[in-house]
Amino acid sequence: MIYRYVIIGGGIAGTNAAFSIRKHDPEGGILIIGEEPLPVYSRVNLGSIVSGKQTPDQLILKQEHQYDQAYIDRTFNTRVTDIDHT
C-alpha cells in the first residue's frame, strides 16, 4: 500500500493526528509507526498499575478495533532510524 500519511510516533499526539486526518480525508492511507509495543496508552495513570488500582489493559486509550474501523494501519515495536522521502 502507498500511504499518503506516515506518522512517526504512536503516542497521544501521533494517534490524535491520525484520527483527525481520517476525519478530513476519508480515503488517504494512514500509517502510524511507533517504538512502543502497545497502542497509545495513558502514561499519566502508570502509577495506578503500581498501586494495583488498574491493570495495564485498562490504560489503553485506543483499542485495536478503533484503528481498524478508521482504516489506520500501524506498526508497533518499530524504531524509525532514517527517512528516505524520495
Side-chain angles (χ1 to χ4, degrees):
M1 168 177 255
I2 297 175
Y3 294 100
R4 181 175 289 174
Y5 309 97
V6 176
I7 298 169
I8 300 171
I12 194 71
T15 300
N16 282 341
F19 280 86
S20 292
I21 289 168
R22 178 53 70 227
K23 288 179 186 176
H24 298 284
D25 185 350
E27 296 180 13
I30 302 172
L31 172 65
I32 298 174
I33 303 171
E35 189 172 6
E36 299 269 352
L38 302 168
V40 64
Y41 61 90
S42 174
R43 288 176 173 85
V44 174
N45 291 327
L46 283 174
S48 65
I49 292 176
V50 176
S51 68
K53 293 179 181 175
Q54 287 185 303
T55 65
D57 288 344
Q58 291 174 307
L59 297 185
I60 302 295
L61 299 175
K62 292 283 188 191
Q63 301 298 322
E64 294 290 328
H65 73 274
Q66 292 174 287
Y67 292 93
D68 293 340
Q69 288 173 344
Y71 299 101
I72 297 172
D73 292 337
R74 61 259 173 227
T75 300
F76 298 124
N77 210 25
T78 302
R79 175 181 276 197
V80 175
T81 59
D82 191 30
I83 299 172
D84 180 2
H85 55 78
T86 58

